C-alpha cells in the first residue's frame, strides 16, 4: 500500500530532479503573466504610439486605437507597458523606453528609425516649401539610406538601429521582438513626388530589415539573447495610401478631402484608426501566428 508519506517523498525527489535538470540545461522558467498570457512591452515612435488616431492619452500621443492597445485586447497578450512616444529616435528609445524590459518580458514590439531620418520633416518641407527645397530634402534622405545600404558598418543610421535592437535583446533576453517597418504613405501612380517618397520608404524598410537580420545573426552566434523578427506592414496598407479611394493614412488637404481623412498638422502622414487595426495590428498578429 502506498502511504501518503511515500507519495510526498517521491514528489519531493521528482521536484528536485527537475530542478537539477533545468540547471544543467541552463533553463529558466518562461516569464508568464498572472493570467498566463504573454507579458508585452511596446516601444518606438509615433507610429507605435498611435499618432493619427485621436483622442490621445498623453503628451506622447499614445492612443487606445494604436496597435499596442489592439494587441493587448488579444486574450494571449498582456500589455505591461507602452513606452512609445511621438518624436522618439532610436537613441531616445534606448535612453528613455527600456526600463520596463527584463527577463520576465515575453513579447516586445518596436517601430523606430523614421525620426532618425526625419522622414516626416522632409514630407512637411515637400508640402509647404518649393519644389527645389523638397528635392533637396528628399535627396538628403536618399543619401543617408544609400550609405546605410552600401556600407552599414560606417552608417550612423544603420548603427543606431542595430544598437537599439541589441540593447533590447540584452534587456529582455527571453522575449520575442517584433520590429515593424513603415507603410507606403501614398497611392502609386498619383504623383512623381509621391513615388519618390514611397521609394525612400521601401529603402528605409529594407535597412530596418537588414538591421534585424544582423541582430538575429548575433543571437544565433552567441546562442543567447532574445529572438528578433521583422514585420512588413507595407503589403497590408497596399491600396490604402493617400490618394486612394479608401486611405488608411491621414493626409493633408486637398488630398484628404474626398475621403474625409483630413487631420491636424500633428496627425498628417500617420495611420488612421483603420490603418492601425487592419495594417499594423493585423500584420503583427499574423507574424505572431494569431
Amino acid at each position: 500500500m502506498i502511504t501518503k508519506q511515500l507519495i510526498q517523498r517521491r514528489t519531493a525527489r521528482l521536484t528536485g530532479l527537475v530542478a537539477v535538470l533545468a540547471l544543467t540545461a541552463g533553463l529558466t522558467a518562461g516569464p508568464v503573466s498572472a493570467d498566463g498570457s504573454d507579458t508585452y512591452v511596446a516601444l518606438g515612435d509615433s507610429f507605435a504610439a498611435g499618432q493619427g488616431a485621436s483622442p490621445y492619452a498623453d503628451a506622447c500621443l499614445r492612443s487606445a486605437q494604436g496597435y499596442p492597445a489592439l494587441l493587448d485586447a488579444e486574450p494571449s497578450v498582456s500589455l505591461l507597458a507602452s513606452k512609445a512616444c511621438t518624436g522618439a529616435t532610436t537613441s531616445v528609445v534606448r535612453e528613455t523606453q527600456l526600463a520596463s524590459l527584463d527577463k520576465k518580458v515575453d513579447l516586445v514590439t518596436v517601430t523606430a528609425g523614421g525620426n532618425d531620418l526625419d522622414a516626416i520633416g522632409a514630407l512637411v518641407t515637400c508640402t509647404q516649401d518649393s519644389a527645389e527645397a523638397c528635392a533637396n530634402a528628399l535627396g538628403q534622405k536618399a543619401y543617408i539610406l544609400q550609405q546605410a545600404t552600401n556600407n552599414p558598418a560606417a552608417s550612423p543610421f544603420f548603427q543606431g538601429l542595430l544598437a537599439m535592437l541589441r540593447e533590447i535583446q540584452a534587456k529582455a533576453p527571453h522575449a520575442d521582438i517584433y520590429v515593424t517597418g513603415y507603410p507606403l504613405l501614398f497611392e502609386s501612380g498619383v504623383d512623381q513626388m509621391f513615388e519618390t517618397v514611397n521609394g525612400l520608404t521601401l529603402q528605409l524598410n529594407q535597412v530596418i530589415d537588414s538591421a534585424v537580420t544582423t541582430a538575429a545573426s548575433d543571437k544565433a552566434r552567441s546562442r543567447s539573447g532574445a529572438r528578433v523578427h521583422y514585420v512588413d506592414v507595407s503589403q497590408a496598407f497596399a491600396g490604402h495610401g493617400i490618394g486612394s479611394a479608401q486611405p488608411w493614412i491621414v493626409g493633408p488637404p486637398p488630398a484628404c478631402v474626398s475621403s474625409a481623412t483630413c487631420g491636424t498638422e500633428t496627425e498628417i502622414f500617420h495611420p488612421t484608426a483603420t490603418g492601425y487595426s487592419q495594417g499594423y495590428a493585423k500584420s503583427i498578429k499574423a507574424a505572431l501566428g494569431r
Side-chain angles (χ1 to χ4, degrees):
M1 181 178 179
I2 300 177
T3 66
K4 181 178 180 180
Q5 290 79 8
L6 180 58
I7 292 174
Q8 290 173 334
R9 287 199 299 271
R10 288 181 177 176
T11 301
R13 289 173 183 171
L14 181 59
T15 301
L17 178 60
V18 170
V20 170
L21 289 173
L23 288 172
T24 302
L27 302 175
T28 56
V32 180
S33 65
D35 60 0
S37 55
D38 288 342
T39 302
Y40 168 41
V41 174
L43 309 171
D45 58 22
S46 54
F47 283 73
Q51 186 171 336
S54 59
Y56 305 112
D58 51 33
C60 280
L61 303 186
R62 298 186 186 105
S63 169
Q65 299 182 87
Y67 75 73
L70 298 174
L71 293 177
D72 185 42
E74 290 290 298
S76 56
V77 176
S78 178
L79 182 63
L80 175 65
S82 177
K83 296 297 184 179
C85 192
T86 183
T89 61
T90 55
S91 61
V92 168
V93 171
R94 294 174 64 193
E95 293 164 5
T96 68
Q97 297 187 15
L98 305 188
S100 296
L101 300 182
D102 58 28
K103 295 179 180 180
K104 296 181 180 180
V105 173
D106 302 278
L107 173 64
V108 177
T109 60
V110 55
T111 304
N115 287 322
D116 297 62
L117 196 63
D118 191 24
I120 298 297
L123 288 171
V124 171
T125 296
C126 287
T127 58
Q128 295 181 353
D129 296 339
S130 67
E132 181 180 2
C134 174
N136 289 337
L138 296 180
Q140 291 171 2
K141 311 314 172 190
Y143 175 79
I144 293 170
L145 291 171
Q146 197 63 43
Q147 182 189 38
T149 301
N150 294 340
N151 190 5
S155 165
F157 178 72
F158 183 90
Q159 291 303 314
L161 284 166
L162 187 57
M164 176 190 69
L165 295 177
R166 284 172 170 167
E167 191 162 348
I168 294 170
Q169 286 177 296
K171 291 183 178 293
H174 302 300
D176 278 297
I177 303 164
Y178 290 85
V179 184
T180 79
Y182 293 88
L184 303 188
L185 299 180
F186 300 99
E187 192 66 10
S188 179
V190 175
D191 181 273
Q192 183 54 51
M193 186 272 285
F194 293 174
E195 296 292 339
T196 301
V197 172
N198 283 348
L200 291 175
T201 302
L202 285 173
Q203 195 170 1
L204 168 61
N205 288 341
Q206 289 168 359
V207 172
I208 295 171
D209 190 6
S210 180
V212 167
T213 300
T214 302
S217 66
D218 289 346
K219 187 265 177 185
R221 284 196 298 269
S222 66
R223 297 187 179 183
S224 64
R227 296 171 295 275
V228 57
H229 320 267
Y230 176 72
V231 180
D232 173 57
V233 300
S234 62
Q235 292 303 310
F237 277 87
H240 297 287
I242 296 170
S244 68
Q246 295 180 317
W248 293 352
I249 305 293
V250 180
C256 60
V257 174
S258 62
S259 59
T261 54
C262 298
T264 65
E265 186 174 327
T266 299
E267 295 176 323
I268 59 173
F269 304 126
H270 287 83
T272 63
T274 303
Y276 282 117
S277 63
Q278 297 302 308
Y280 269 98
K282 190 173 182 178
S283 296
I284 297 169
K285 289 176 187 177
L288 290 168
R290 298 170 185 172

